[in-house]
Amino acid sequence: AQKITQTQPGMFVQEKEAVTLDCTYDTSDPSYGLFWYKQPSSGEMIFLIYQGSYDQQNATEGRYSLNFQKARKSANLVISASQLGDSAMYFCAMREGRNTDKLIFGTGTRLQVFP
Amino acid sequence: GAVVSQHPSRVICKSGTSVKIECRSLDFQATTMFWYRQFPKKSLMLMATSNEGSKATYEQGVEKDKFLINHASLTLSTLTVTSAHPEDSSFYICSGRDSLGNTIYFGEGSWLTVV
């Protein structure tokens, strides 16, 4: 079974609008961490936001926020006020367990922001 | 924030030769680093865990004699693709975590083309 599922292969959003990128995960470990990364065409993986399984509040980093719904096992990324430079691939990833930094990645969502 | 630097960013080599990719943590010490591989338009797949001062741990299906990993210091891990073949052409990227935080940072990645 997929550990990390990103069901949206591609998304379009107009500049200045908000967009939500979906991510669901599957784990039986009570301790885990969820990450979102942005990958532009250059290939680098840019860290955006992190949510720990025990964090009480949803993580926010500037225009990025994570809609963490633990019971649903979802960790959707919300990008507010989209910019043209936000066009890229976005990957959701999970660190499963307390003592590892291995990441399991979803298949990614390609976001295109249009004027 | 923590920075991971990877070199070279692009390399072309002939079939049968070996190529070394370096991954450095610039402002933190990493006892563990990770090497991933990404095929075009695909997600990242973990290849191996690089352990400082000891042998790397390889994921199932990854040939340890082909992908040699050395982690001789707390700030440098290297991946050597030995006897490279065209099917080894891929994007290779490393990651590491600053032990003081939760963020896992990635290098810029290395595009390998074997001709």
Side-chain angles (χ1 to χ4, degrees), chain A:
Chain A
Q2 290 283 347
K3 291 269 188 177
I4 293 284
T5 303
Q6 293 180 256
T7 57
Q8 306 153 315
M11 289 284 284
F12 286 90
V13 65
Q14 190 166 32
E15 201 176 5
K16 299 179 187 176
E17 296 294 310
V19 63
T20 298
L21 306 184
D22 295 341
C23 174
T24 57
Y25 59 93
D26 183 27
T27 181
S28 56
D29 198 312
S31 179
Y32 54 89
L34 298 158
F35 299 76
W36 277 94
Y37 289 89
K38 171 184 178 181
Q39 187 178 44
S41 56
S42 57
E44 60 187 308
M45 294 288 282
I46 301 168
F47 167 76
L48 297 178
I49 198 164
Y50 167 82
Q51 181 85 43
S53 59
Y54 294 117
D55 293 346
Q56 295 294 315
Q57 294 189 322
N58 286 351
T60 60
E61 290 282 353
R63 293 187 299 113
Y64 304 107
S65 60
L66 203 151
N67 184 0
F68 182 44
Q69 298 192 37
K70 199 168 180 177
R72 289 182 160 188
K73 293 189 175 180
S74 76
N76 299 339
L77 176 70
V78 180
I79 305 175
S80 63
S82 297
Q83 301 172 356
L84 295 177
D86 293 336
S87 296
M89 280 291 288
Y90 288 80
F91 288 96
C92 179
M94 177 173 67
R95 181 189 67 221
E96 198 172 21
R98 206 179 270 278
N99 298 315
T100 179
D101 290 324
K102 285 188 199 181
L103 292 180
I104 304 165
F105 282 85
T107 50
T109 296
R110 179 165 296 282
L111 176 66
Q112 295 191 58
V113 182
F114 60 93

